[in-house]
Amino acid sequence: MSGVAADRDVCVGAGMCVLTAPDLFDQDDEGLVVLIDESDPDPALTQRAVLLCPSGALRVTGN
Amino acid sequence: MGEVLTDRLPLFPFLSPGDDPFTPVTGADLRRLDGPVTRVKLPTGGWTWLVTRHRDVKQMLRSDAFSADAARPGFPLLRQSPPQSAEGRRGGFIRMDGEEHLRLRRMLTAEFMIKNIRRIEPLIGQVVDDALTAFQAGQRPADLVAGFALPVPSLVICHLLGVPYADHAFFQQRSVVLLDRSADPLAVRDAVAGLRSYLGRLIEDKRAGATPGDDLLGRLITERVRPGELEVGELIGMALLLLIAGHETTANMIGLSVLLLLQHPHVWERLRGDPAQADAVVEELLRYLTIVRQGLPRQAIRDVEVGGRRIRAGEPVTALLSLANRDADVFDDAEEFDPYREAHQHLAFGFGVHQCIGQPLARAELRIALTGLAARLPGLRLAADPADLPKRDNSIVYGLSELPVTW
Ligand code: HEM
Ligand code: SF4
């Protein structure tokens, strides 16, 4: 199973992930990324969010 | 750094052809570029590495090998820096690195996130409607920049921050000076000082009140200044950055977008369609127009390789967003304005830790302003020769200073 991981220490809250995949990502009260769904239902969309994240906070995990 | 002979290097920044504001770099200037990472001469005398490919710009802006701190000796400057005190720079986190930058940026991220911007969309809609009503009631021809493109984002950012819009002439005049690289360094220093003392007084008034108010500055006073997490001098600098970035950018995007769309009448139809279509048009406008034309300046703080070039610690580097957004490896027919393309990879908002914090607001404003215009002024047309329109060639934020239209 592949999945997605988000590093909140790296996140700069630009919200590109929420714009790209609103069913996968959200931002908490501080504007930092939170994962709604770690199972990666749409790998192509996840990949797109990873590419677009400006800070490098997101990565694809698993095999 | 070693000696580099600057005499024969192409002079940066490049100018758009006088009659074509949509071509960021002329063919003649392009031909003088010696590879995707190449040296160019700066108007202040030195030189900078110019990074022009999409993937190199992304790598560079995401790397921690570069500093954004313009106070460092050797930083690539487009005008002589004014004799600015440390106080004059406080809170301006766009020019800070590392933890110092993150600390201030993170106090604002929640304010600008998509779900909070969605909440103020009705307000943006109201501002756009009122501005259009006033514009329609006025004389024709009329200047769309002064009558619509500038007041809409100004009113919105004033409302968000809690700054009285009645003072807009004061801060708009000074922000033009701040962004103008041909301005006299002393005039720049005075503009900064004037804006800082204006915002300082405003913040003191809010602090003196029983409730600082339910706006961004009021909230930061209650949640950060009062508990001792943020100093007033820092808040002033953050307010200054938001006030200027918040209206100059979107205003120039609206003006240039309208000029472009008047040449593509069928796109107005897309804007009158569903909002998802308008979103796609806005992304392509951001890519194609890339109003931060003079690129993003940085300085290498250690040796690093970008696009196959070795860049040494201390060397100046500039990420040219406008060319990265026309990179044929990423965008098919990159020189064409194509509102049907997938433009989401554009770098108009930058990349890395400084990527525009206001982008959800900018997207909402652009969508609502342009769809509003499309719906209410279907007969909109240019009332001047496009070649005669005054361009902001010397500004950090490119655009039109006037756009005469009629309908
Ligand atoms: C279409 C409109 C806009 C464009 C094209 C734009 C572009 C940019 C770019 C390219 C940067 C990166 C600067 C760098 O890395 O050196 C940036 C940063 C920034 N923008 Fe925007 N911007 C726009 C609208 C706004 C708005 C509406 C705001 C309002 C709040 C805003 C606030 C900021 C701030 C505060 C930063 C600094 C972020 C940081 O350093 O962490 N921008 N913008
Ligand atoms: S795109 Fe990256 S930096 Fe932006 S909110 Fe998502 S995880 Fe954070």
Side-chain angles (χ1 to χ4, degrees):
Chain A
M1 265 296 286
S2 73
V4 57
D7 184 345
R8 290 168 45 90
D9 290 338
V10 174
C11 173
V12 294
M16 286 303 290
C17 53
V18 182
L19 183 73
T20 311
D23 298 332
L24 220 54
F25 304 100
D26 195 2
Q27 282 167 282
D28 66 5
D29 291 348
E30 293 171 86
L32 297 183
V33 61
V34 276
L35 284 178
I36 306 173
D37 183 347
E38 284 171 41
S39 72
D40 192 13
D42 181 349
L45 198 62
T46 308
Q47 189 57 40
R48 183 158 152 176
V50 170
L51 267 179
L52 290 178
C53 168
S55 68
L58 303 178
R59 70 193 162 78
V60 175
T61 58
N63 35 53
Chain B
M1 246 195 256
E3 282 298 303
V4 173
L5 291 175
T6 55
D7 287 6
R8 309 177 86 168
L9 297 177
L11 181 63
F12 186 77
F14 307 127
L15 298 184
S16 294
D19 58 353
D20 177 11
F22 307 125
T23 294
V25 185
T26 62
D29 281 325
L30 276 180
R31 280 189 293 279
R32 299 193 63 203
L33 293 182
D34 175 22
V37 180
T38 183
R39 285 190 177 97
V40 290
K41 182 161 78 176
L42 290 170
T44 44
W47 58 274
T48 186
W49 288 111
L50 198 63
V51 180
T52 57
R53 273 196 307 215
H54 190 271
R55 66 180 141 106
D56 297 339
V57 166
K58 278 182 79 172
Q59 181 217 325
M60 170 191 156
L61 293 177
R62 206 192 242 181
S63 159
D64 61 5
F66 298 94
S67 168
D69 177 1
R72 297 171 60 95
F75 194 87
L77 299 174
L78 296 177
R79 68 176 168 215
Q80 294 305 336
S81 73
Q84 196 81 261
S85 63
E87 189 58 32
R89 292 194 305 268
R90 275 187 94 195
F93 60 93
I94 194 167
R95 290 278 161 264
M96 294 178 187
D97 300 326
E99 283 304 316
E100 205 189 2
H101 162 258
L102 264 189
R103 174 181 154 253
L104 298 182
R105 176 168 172 129
R106 286 204 168 145
M107 293 185 189
L108 295 173
T109 43
E111 294 280 348
F112 290 97
M113 62 187 171
I114 295 176
K115 55 187 171 197
N116 283 338
I117 296 304
R118 217 159 269 149
R119 243 169 255 155
I120 64 153
E121 280 191 13
L123 168 96
I124 304 174
Q126 193 59 52
V127 166
V128 166
D129 258 353
D130 293 348
L132 282 172
T133 301
F135 194 61
Q136 275 178 311
Q139 284 192 339
R140 300 173 223 183
D143 177 13
L144 187 111
V145 171
F148 183 70
L150 197 51
V152 165
S154 275
L155 279 156
V156 172
I157 196 71
C158 281
H159 180 92
L160 272 183
L161 292 178
V163 170
Y165 180 72
D167 298 331
H168 70 274
F170 176 85
F171 58 76
Q172 282 169 357
Q173 278 157 12
R174 280 158 187 80
S175 69
V176 168
V177 175
L178 260 183
L179 294 175
D180 179 0
R181 67 180 178 85
S182 63
D184 177 56
L186 292 174
V188 175
R189 192 185 58 181
D190 287 349
V192 173
L195 285 165
R196 285 191 78 101
S197 59
Y198 167 76
L199 289 166
R201 275 195 306 278
L202 189 73
I203 288 167
E204 280 315 321
D205 286 349
K206 286 182 192 280
R207 282 179 76 194
T211 47
D214 188 23
D215 47 52
L216 191 149
L217 294 180
R219 279 191 293 277
L220 284 175
I221 289 168
T222 312
E223 292 164 19
R224 306 288 184 171
V225 175
R226 290 205 168 145
E229 287 171 34
L230 183 67
E231 289 179 31
V232 171
E234 294 175 313
L235 181 57
I236 292 172
M238 292 160 83
L240 176 62
L241 174 59
L242 292 173
L243 185 63
I244 293 174
H247 77 269
E248 284 279 351
T249 46
T250 311
N252 284 292
M253 266 303 293
I254 295 173
L256 269 185
S257 297
V258 170
L259 179 65
L260 179 68
L261 294 177
L262 289 176
Q263 300 172 11
H264 297 262
H266 61 283
V267 185
W268 289 109
E269 287 306 318
R270 281 212 95 188
L271 288 171
R272 284 184 213 107
D274 71 275
Q277 304 226 346
D279 283 337
V281 174
V282 166
E283 286 315 298
E284 172 65 350
L285 287 167
L286 286 162
R287 178 195 78 89
Y288 189 73
L289 297 173
T290 315
I291 52 170
V292 183
R293 289 269 171 102
Q294 306 186 342
L296 303 181
R298 298 289 192 266
Q299 185 177 29
I301 50 177
R302 52 180 162 80
D303 291 1
V304 58
E305 201 173 292
V306 177
R309 285 273 192 178
R310 185 120 197 100
I311 291 173
R312 307 222 168 261
E315 288 184 343
V317 190
T318 300
L320 198 55
L321 306 178
S322 60
L323 280 187
N325 278 343
R326 304 258 177 132
D327 186 333
D329 286 345
V330 181
F331 306 103
D332 294 334
D333 292 324
E335 297 299 326
E336 296 302 314
F337 172 67
D338 173 7
Y340 294 93
R341 80 164 77 234
E342 287 267 345
H344 62 274
Q345 289 206 62
H346 73 74
L347 301 173
F349 290 120
F351 204 67
V353 296
H354 290 282
Q355 192 188 52
C356 184
I357 200 174
Q359 52 184 301
L361 174 61
R363 286 190 170 96
E365 288 179 325
L366 290 171
R367 171 170 40 78
I368 296 169
L370 294 174
T371 51
L373 262 182
R376 298 215 9 213
L377 290 177
L380 193 70
R381 59 188 190 278
L382 201 58
D385 183 340
D388 295 340
L389 297 173
K391 326 282 186 316
R392 301 175 19 132
D393 277 322
N394 282 321
S395 181
I396 314 283
V397 180
Y398 186 69
L400 306 168
S401 30
E402 264 172 54
L403 182 60
V405 292
T406 191
W407 57 91

